[in-house]
Amino acid sequence: PTVVVDVAEDDALMEEEIFGPILPILTVESLEKGIDFINRKEKPLALYVFSDESSVVNTVLEKTSSGGFCSNDGIVHMTLPSLPFGGVG
């Protein structure tokens, strides 16, 4: 896997859907600005949130829309075939 740090919102990497082991890291100033960033783009197929604070997880869940949502886990979504994986219906 490749981790790319200090990615800007307008970088080419952020323009298209990523199919591959690439993880861009985009820094935002606040939770609300992060949610605004998510909501300005097309709805993601999956959204993964990592936080020790349940209020952060709940806020992201309540204020965004995605094909699938996982908190504090990046694997379970793909390992359970009964869970949907795709677009927003």
Side-chain angles (χ1 to χ4, degrees):
T2 302
V3 176
V4 183
V5 296
D6 298 326
V7 176
E9 182 177 346
D10 59 350
D11 282 353
L13 179 60
M14 300 302 292
E15 295 299 318
E16 298 290 330
E17 189 170 0
I18 299 170
F19 291 100
I22 300 172
L23 177 63
I25 304 295
L26 180 94
T27 302
V28 293
E29 293 178 20
S30 68
L31 178 59
E32 288 302 320
K33 288 189 179 189
I35 289 170
D36 290 344
F37 171 77
I38 293 167
N39 290 334
R40 279 196 308 274
K41 304 287 185 177
E42 288 186 42
K43 294 181 180 185
L45 294 177
L47 179 57
Y48 303 92
V49 176
F50 295 86
S51 178
D52 291 331
E53 297 179 38
S54 62
S55 63
V56 169
V57 172
N58 290 332
T59 297
V60 175
L61 179 60
E62 292 170 3
K63 293 186 175 187
T64 62
S65 178
S66 59
F69 183 91
C70 283
S71 65
N72 297 317
D73 195 301
I75 300 296
V76 72
H77 198 210
M78 292 184 280
T79 60
L80 295 172
S82 61
L83 289 178
F85 191 84
V88 177

